[in-house]
Amino acid sequence: MVKISVLQHAPEAHLPLRPGDPTPTSRNLDPLMHPFARARERTRALNAAKMDRMFAKPFVDALEGHMDAVEVLARQPNSLTTIASGSWDGGIILHNLSTRRKMITLQQAHKGKVSGLCFADGDRLLSCGVDRNVKLWSTKSGTSDQPLNVFPGKAAFNSIDHHRSEPLFATASNLVQIWDETKSAPVSNLTFPTSTETITGVRFNLSEHSVLASIGSDRTFTLYDIRTGKAERRVVMQFRSNSLAWSPIYPTTMLLASEDHNLYTFDIRHLSTPSHIYKAHVAAVMSCDWSPTGQEFVSGGWDRTVRIWKEGQGHSPEVYHTKRMQRVSSSIFSGDARFVLTGSDDGNVRIWKAKASEKLGIITARERAAIEYRDSLKDRWKMDSEVNKVTRTRHLPKSVYQASKLKRTMLEARRVKEERRRKHTRAGETKPKAERKKVVITEQT
């Protein structure tokens, strides 16, 4: 009788554990057996970066309906799909992002420009305009076109924001006023003793609900406490700010969109210098808003571009633009941080993907694993010159490209001039001033 030796293998080691899982493979992980592994991985990283740019199609849709420029956008706090937009034609439209249809249209909600929108608790919307009125609307379907309440003011309103937990809201005009929803007159007026400016924006802190911030036309940024009823601190800057936003995860961090083409983040405990400067726009930055995750924020500018920044990274943001989009006056993130909405002078509200190459729709487990693998490759090889070049390169409109080129030339000329002045004149006896130290002129308490 002949004996036969048979190699036996457990089937469990060679079959997928669950239906749909990839078939397990056994590999020899000895690096001496794979001398070209690093070169292969670099090629995969370069291909992953190229594929990311090839599939970068950020524009999703344009929501029409306004006859004039879209001035302001507001996101409903407890909804992922409801967005309100206000226009220079005085109209307000409630959009549903999932269906991309209009839920409610309020024609001539205000006489003149709608300058501020915010959601109150529940299905209610507050709006203000240059007609000196604040109006409270119901956003339930099937309701009338008449406001639930009207709060008359003495000056044109520029901005509005609602308290997080109490039936209070703040308005910005020639001063900051605190209103109660149950009363027709403001309950308190907040102003700095030496202030004569027009307040252009106002926002409640998301964590410390009684703290309020405002920006003014005389280049000021002011902090108030509604419990004491007075201004606590004020900062005078080199240029005026056009928009402000509180960070959703860092209660002391404030983002300002400035007229000098930059964005600044401030820690309100140290207002003498900004914590970060974000440079890429080539014209005034008109709007800014944080992602709900607090890791990114979006800005829209007079240069007709939308830029998405990573928190703490002051250069090389994601850039979105179209041929028809005009100056961007408002920009916000959606509630799930996957989309960005912008309102511009051409009367459209545009929907963009927050991540340009993200696939919309159902993603299988294998697709998800491949996406995560490509992302890890790009992150691992981001210091490689070719991978970095593909990842960083963005094609800009010719006008924006030429403006950025001219701006770089002017900044370099200014730097050389200051260096020569320090070297050859008595001005050189003083140390050069850091860029962050130049932003704030004075801090007042």
Side-chain angles (χ1 to χ4, degrees):
M1 186 175 178
V2 181
K3 290 185 178 180
I4 301 174
S5 298
V6 178
L7 292 175
Q8 290 187 345
H9 296 281
E12 294 82 10
H14 303 278
L15 295 175
L17 294 176
R18 293 184 299 259
D21 282 2
T23 303
T25 55
S26 57
R27 293 188 178 91
N28 188 344
L29 299 179
D30 183 6
L32 297 176
M33 298 294 294
H34 305 282
F36 300 110
R38 189 167 175 79
R40 275 200 305 269
E41 189 176 80
R42 181 188 173 278
T43 303
R44 287 176 184 170
L46 186 58
N47 289 340
K50 290 179 179 177
M51 286 177 64
D52 193 52
R53 300 314 308 152
M54 283 167 55
F55 290 104
K57 293 180 172 56
F59 181 69
V60 178
D61 201 359
L63 307 176
E64 301 176 352
H66 289 294
M67 302 299 294
D68 209 335
V70 179
E71 173 69 13
V72 62
L73 293 170
R75 176 180 71 237
Q76 189 169 7
N78 299 322
S79 172
L80 297 179
T81 58
T82 305
I83 298 290
S85 61
S87 171
W88 278 67
D89 59 12
I92 298 172
I93 298 178
L94 236 68
H95 305 274
N96 188 313
L97 294 186
S98 58
T99 61
R100 302 177 198 171
R101 293 179 180 174
K102 291 179 277 190
M103 297 164 57
I104 296 174
T105 303
L106 302 171
Q107 299 289 351
Q108 298 298 318
H110 288 270
K111 293 179 181 177
K113 179 178 76 167
V114 178
S115 55
L117 282 176
C118 72
F119 281 90
D121 53 341
D123 299 319
R124 295 181 304 158
L125 177 70
L126 279 163
S127 66
C128 66
V130 294
D131 59 356
R132 304 182 182 183
N133 285 326
V134 175
K135 296 184 180 181
L136 182 65
W137 308 87
S138 173
T139 59
K140 293 180 181 177
S141 57
T143 55
S144 67
D145 292 345
Q146 298 302 315
L148 301 176
N149 202 352
V150 178
F151 305 90
K154 295 182 180 178
F157 294 109
N158 299 316
S159 181
I160 189 170
D161 195 33
H162 197 276
H163 196 278
R164 298 279 288 179
S165 55
E166 298 178 19
L168 301 174
F169 61 91
T171 57
S173 52
N174 55 353
L175 73 166
V176 175
Q177 294 178 314
I178 306 298
W179 302 70
D180 193 320
E181 290 181 12
T182 60
K183 299 176 182 177
S184 60
V187 294
S188 66
N189 295 332
L190 306 178
T191 182
F192 202 79
T194 59
S195 170
T196 57
E197 87 273 27
T198 298
I199 310 295
T200 56
V202 63
R203 288 290 180 272
F204 277 103
N205 190 294
L206 303 177
S207 177
E208 191 63 50
H209 301 163
S210 59
V211 175
L212 188 68
S214 74
I215 50 175
S217 59
D218 62 348
R219 304 167 301 168
T220 56
F221 161 58
T222 314
L223 291 173
Y224 308 88
D225 193 330
I226 63 174
R227 293 169 296 190
T228 60
K230 63 179 183 180
E232 300 296 332
R233 300 168 78 185
R234 188 169 91 147
V235 170
V236 181
M237 303 175 66
Q238 289 282 0
F239 289 85
R240 64 171 281 187
S241 300
N242 293 318
S243 181
L244 74 163
W246 289 99
S247 171
I249 61 172
Y250 301 113
T252 59
T253 300
M254 165 63 72
L255 174 67
L256 295 178
S258 178
E259 196 79 17
D260 63 353
H261 312 179
N262 299 335
L263 293 107
Y264 302 97
T265 51
F266 280 89
D267 189 326
I268 61 173
R269 297 167 294 185
H270 311 286
L271 287 174
S272 57
T273 55
S275 54
H276 281 98
I277 303 177
Y278 299 86
K279 299 181 176 183
H281 282 282
V282 294
V285 189
M286 302 306 296
S287 63
C288 60
D289 184 50
W290 285 93
S291 163
T293 62
Q295 304 300 314
E296 302 177 299
F297 59 87
V298 60
S299 64
W302 204 252
D303 55 3
R304 304 191 294 275
T305 63
V306 179
R307 302 185 188 240
I308 299 176
W309 309 76
K310 293 189 184 302
E311 197 271 333
Q313 185 177 324
H315 57 86
S316 305
E318 186 67 77
V319 187
Y320 296 160
H321 54 85
T322 66
K323 287 184 178 179
R324 297 183 181 183
M325 184 169 69
Q326 298 304 308
R327 293 174 289 218
V328 182
S329 53
S330 54
S331 54
I332 59 170
F333 263 93
S334 64
D336 57 359
R338 292 183 62 203
F339 299 97
V340 165
L341 291 102
T342 60
S344 51
D345 278 4
D346 54 274
N348 285 331
V349 177
R350 288 180 171 82
I351 307 174
W352 311 82
K353 291 187 239 176
K355 189 177 179 183
S357 58
E358 182 185 8
K359 179 185 174 184
L360 299 181
I362 298 172
I363 298 177
T364 64
R366 295 188 70 172
E367 280 181 307
R368 174 65 61 196
I371 291 170
E372 291 174 356
Y373 176 60
R374 288 197 295 268
D375 288 342
S376 66
L377 282 177
K378 286 185 293 181
D379 187 60
R380 184 173 180 180
W381 287 88
K382 62 185 177 183
M383 303 309 292
D384 183 85
S385 59
E386 284 191 60
V387 175
N388 188 34
K389 182 180 179 182
V390 173
T391 305
R392 259 188 321 110
T393 303
R394 297 290 182 273
H395 293 288
L396 295 170
K398 187 175 181 181
S399 58
V400 177
Y401 178 78
Q402 295 292 345
S404 62
K405 190 176 175 182
L406 176 62
K407 184 180 174 183
R408 282 196 301 272
T409 305
M410 293 169 65
L411 290 174
E412 178 64 17
R414 184 187 301 173
R415 186 193 65 79
V416 170
K417 185 176 182 180
E418 288 180 356
E419 189 177 338
R420 287 174 178 169
R421 182 181 288 130
R422 283 197 304 271
K423 192 177 291 185
H424 300 295
T425 67
R426 291 184 67 100
E429 295 174 359
T430 59
K431 290 183 179 180
K433 205 171 185 180
E435 195 73 21
R436 293 185 189 180
K437 303 283 186 182
K438 300 176 184 176
V439 176
V440 174
I441 296 176
T442 183
E443 184 181 352
Q444 303 166 345
T445 55

